[in-house]
Amino acid sequence: MASGTALVYDNEMTSHKLLWDDPICDIEVPERLSSCYERLKCYNLVERCISVPVREGTEEEIMLVHSLDYLEIVKRTPKMTEEELRKTSADYESVYFHLMTYRCAKLAVGATLELVDAVMSGKSQNGMALIRPPGHHSQRNAANGFCIFNNVAIAAKYAKRKYGLQRILIVDWDVHHGQGIQYIFDEDPSVLYFSWHRFEHQQYWPSLSESNYDAAGQGKGRGFNINVPWNKIGMGNSDYVAAFLHVLLPLAFEFDPELVLVSAGYDSGIGDPEGQMSATPECFAHLTHLLMHLAKGKLCVVLEGGYHLRSLSESVCMTLKTLLGDPLPRLSGEMAPCLSAVESIHNVRAVHKPHWECLMFEDTVPLLDLSTSPYQMGEAKSTQTGAQLLPPQESGKANSAEAIKTDRFLELHMKKIAFPIPRIKTTVAVDEKERCLLPPSVQVEKATDPKELKAILSGFDAELVKEEKVFNSLVNMLAVLDKIIKKEVTNGLAVSSVASLSSAVALKHCHNLKIQKVLCVFVGDMDMKIDLDDGEVLLINVDANPPTKSDTKYNISVNWKKDVETNNFFSAALGFILPVAYSYQPDLTVIVVGPKQSVGKNGITLLISLLQGLAQSHILTLIQDTEVKLLQDIIKPLTGDFIPYFGTYAPDLKENVQRTLELREQFQQEWKLLQCSAKVSTAER
Ligand code: Q9C
Ligand code: ZN
């Protein structure tokens, strides 16, 4: 069982630098790397990682992707005069060479491969390589866009060869299109490449028609290239999360990768002079978290772009913290994707519909016509937090006044979202006989002094509460809940002989303590009577029973038919529950597992895993005592020391898909992250 996070870094990669005036290349500076490492040290993150030394990538490894001719050219650069370096640089687009470039580019490749080895060998669960020069623009025969060797593409080929992998997912969250990666794997169905990028209807660099959503891969690789073009600047947290929930993740879970590589450019973050987007650093924590549930957690994050030093380094820290398993900060801003983002998401889903079963069953949206999509150049969206606080820049050029504004914003913002991390992650209250089922990392709760209990329990059935079994269940639950509320632990679990009553008491207790928003997810048959109309609680019921009442915004039944064959829950979890949960932004999540679940254990563990992105990862899990057989599976995602496999994809039952669709339609005006199709929202906005 792998654990720990690898960090691959070497200061030598700061020796590659621009020697002459070039307004295009002058943002790719050595400080990009050193400032990240400094920030990591500030947050004491370096010492928590497994340090992995770098090495040079070999010629053979470089030639997994690049031609000998091109390698020979780069190989000559360490002996060149400055004049020759300039000339060689000019042969390519937006690239500079330095005497140390070849050495650094080899280290960047080798660092990436060492990271892959650490993760594939089980030396670490996941990890990050802080490297430069970056890689995703470089091509078989060419350097491009600050990139010399295509680090991530080489890593994918290497992992296929060395470990015999058959499915690798590459997620490119850099703000530029990694056209180099797209070209290399265009006909290769074993590598699923996802990239979002600033596109602005092809006005933005590299201005290629093949960066649009209709480029889905070719030949055998058709369906394995996913482009999400952003046609406006100012895209932010909710746009990015929407693209993950409605495009990347459903396809990725269906693809079922054995390894995930991230081309992690942070020029898609706030303040970046190139990207001009508005995603705040914690957004990258959430993106990372969402990816950690694929490939049994085998996740390698590899630096690409990112040119606002503070934004870059804070975002890198957020990414690494998340890899290390820290609870996630709340995602800031209003959780509503902008229309332009919804249009892009709609279009890429429509293009990929023939290739992916999860989309095939879903909707029948037509492709919006490429040519009729109206747009005005340079018109930024302005609905995002970041964009509101920071008006987008006039031009794409780094502007020191703007950069300093973002510095100040981030200084404050990072303080705002920071919170102390409990030393103990998980606490449990279970019967003696169940303790042996628990991993050693959990704390076992001793039910405490039940004095103040009386007040809490008044209003509940007094006779029932007197029964010892019932009383003990409530005491146990409250002990766990209190630890979570006092932030002494991140999450907790209690077994209850009366799960419905326990959850009602839990919600009452939260109400008394003025906890504003509680997301409550019921899995299985539950009988629960609480007043749910004021938004203090959002209740999502997942069971097989036909709903007895009509849904309201705060009380929703995900009527889910049991499917013995497939036993998975991806479509409802990603396509409905998560978008609603992110839109609601709870302060606490309560998950109750009752009898007769219609969702299998893969579905339940997936849900618990993903819901840790909400409410600063605070989750109270209650299990009905008859369902204690699920304890061992449920505890895993809570403690996080083991990332489960959620099962291979199989198409959902038609009625389940239908229900999810109906719900999305019904609630997308209230819970805006549900929006993934432009047809309704265009008319209604
Ligand atoms: N007007 C990476 O982020 N900009 N590369 C060219 C021409 C080049 C970005 C602008 C941006 C390259 C790894
Ligand atoms: Zn970039």
Side-chain angles (χ1 to χ4, degrees), residues 5-9 37 40 45-47 49-53 115 124 126-130 320:
T5 295
L7 177 62
V8 199
Y9 174 80
Y37 200 67
L40 291 177
L45 293 171
V46 173
E47 66 224 46
C49 292
I50 302 163
S51 165
V52 174
L115 176 59
S124 69
N126 55 34
M128 185 164 199
L130 290 177
L320 200 67

Side-chain angles (χ1 to χ4, degrees), residues 24 94 134 136-137 145-147 174 176 205 267 274 304-305 307:
I24 287 173
S94 310
H136 71 153
H137 296 303
F146 317 155
C147 300
D174 187 283
H176 300 97
W205 189 89
D267 39 15
E274 277 284 312
E304 298 277 2
Y307 308 100

Side-chain angles (χ1 to χ4, degrees), residues 228-440:
V228 181
W230 297 130
N231 287 318
K232 291 227 160 90
I233 56 174
M235 295 297 169
N237 299 350
S238 53
D239 306 296
Y240 288 179
V241 168
F244 263 45
L245 293 179
H246 295 304
V247 181
L248 172 61
L249 292 172
L251 272 54
F253 277 109
E254 181 171 338
F255 180 65
D256 190 20
E258 299 157 293
L259 174 67
V260 180
L261 306 173
V262 183
S263 266
Y266 294 90
D267 39 15
S268 47
I270 192 165
D272 192 276
E274 277 284 312
Q276 303 203 43
M277 300 302 182
S278 61
T280 46
E282 76 279 12
C283 188
F284 295 96
H286 288 263
L287 302 181
T288 303
H289 183 254
L290 290 169
L291 296 179
M292 283 166 70
H293 305 101
L294 293 155
K296 298 181 190 157
K298 288 201 219 39
L299 179 58
C300 298
V301 181
V302 181
L303 185 64
E304 298 277 2
Y307 308 100
H308 183 287
L309 296 184
R310 184 71 190 259
S311 179
L312 164 66
S313 48
E314 295 292 358
S315 298
V316 163
C317 290
M318 280 293 153
T319 305
L320 200 67
K321 266 172 82 65
T322 307
L323 291 176
L324 283 160
D326 282 358
L328 284 82
R330 219 179 291 281
L331 190 58
S332 53
E334 201 213 334
M335 283 297 113
C338 72
L339 180 56
S340 176
V342 174
E343 267 174 19
S344 297
I345 289 168
H346 169 120
N347 284 330
V348 65
R349 281 167 59 95
V351 162
H352 277 276
K353 203 182 133 154
H355 311 298
W356 298 92
E357 292 200 75
C358 62
L359 296 176
M360 231 176 279
F361 288 94
E362 274 254 343
D363 36 16
T364 48
V365 291
L367 192 56
L368 301 179
D369 190 338
L370 279 165
S371 59
T372 59
S373 175
Y375 70 94
Q376 283 137 354
M377 262 301 295
E379 188 211 313
K381 55 170 290 196
S382 59
T383 56
Q384 301 288 306
T385 355
Q388 273 160 8
L389 290 156
L390 283 167
Q393 293 157 222
E394 297 298 312
S395 78
K397 191 59 219 158
N399 164 330
S400 66
E402 282 303 330
I404 289 164
K405 246 198 215 164
T406 311
D407 277 335
R408 283 210 210 102
F409 166 78
L410 284 174
E411 178 92 49
L412 207 87
H413 182 75
M414 298 320 288
K415 277 191 194 136
K416 251 196 246 170
I417 64 168
F419 60 97
I421 298 188
R423 204 172 44 80
I424 297 158
K425 186 154 188 196
T426 305
T427 192
V428 294
V430 297
D431 277 356
E432 205 76 55
K433 58 181 188 299
E434 287 136 13
R435 296 217 178 126
C436 57
L437 301 174
L438 299 167

